Amino acid sequence: MAGQLWVRVIRKNKIIESRTAPCTYETWQQALDDICHGLDISRPVILPRHERDWEQFGLTHFLPEHFLESVHFDKLELQYIDPDKKKKSNFYAEL
């Protein structure tokens, strides 16, 4: 089952916009293209650091210097939402 790419646009430590797009873990860059088009921003430059973060953690972020055009936010955060992954149990609820 495919998951979702969750993109958060952050300015001054607050989420000013949030979008999701269906994708698989491997097709996140295409989903990012679709979301950037919808937000009317250029696609950020994906560096090896972003790919490593994605592979290790299923998330990464982009700063204004990762865009060829100027942007109106401080950070663009990406996270993969896996519908098959079990939610972590709440330790305190088990006590």
Side-chain angles (χ1 to χ4, degrees):
M1 181 175 193
Q4 296 220 345
L5 178 66
W6 181 24
V7 176
R8 297 175 300 277
V9 180
I10 299 175
R11 185 179 338 143
K12 296 183 181 177
N13 295 321
K14 293 185 182 183
I15 297 173
I16 60 170
E17 193 157 1
S18 174
R19 300 224 179 157
T20 60
C23 73
T24 64
Y25 196 76
E26 294 78 24
T27 62
W28 67 275
Q29 292 185 25
Q30 178 60 44
L32 175 61
D33 286 346
D34 296 342
I35 289 177
C36 286
H37 180 74
L39 292 170
D40 196 28
I41 59 173
S42 65
R43 180 183 183 202
V45 175
I46 298 173
L47 301 173
R49 177 189 154 256
H50 299 119
E51 291 175 342
R52 277 193 310 271
D53 287 349
W54 184 261
E55 290 297 319
Q56 290 179 351
F57 308 111
L59 58 92
T60 191
H61 69 275
F62 297 93
L63 301 174
E65 58 262 22
H66 298 130
F67 292 84
L68 297 178
E69 299 173 3
S70 65
V71 292
H72 62 283
F73 52 82
D74 301 325
K75 190 182 336 180
L76 186 73
E77 292 183 342
L78 283 64
Q79 182 176 358
Y80 183 70
I81 307 298
D82 186 355
D84 298 328
K85 190 174 182 180
K86 293 181 180 179
K87 292 185 177 182
K88 293 181 181 177
S89 64
N90 187 345
F91 173 76
Y92 295 105
E94 297 173 3
L95 294 178

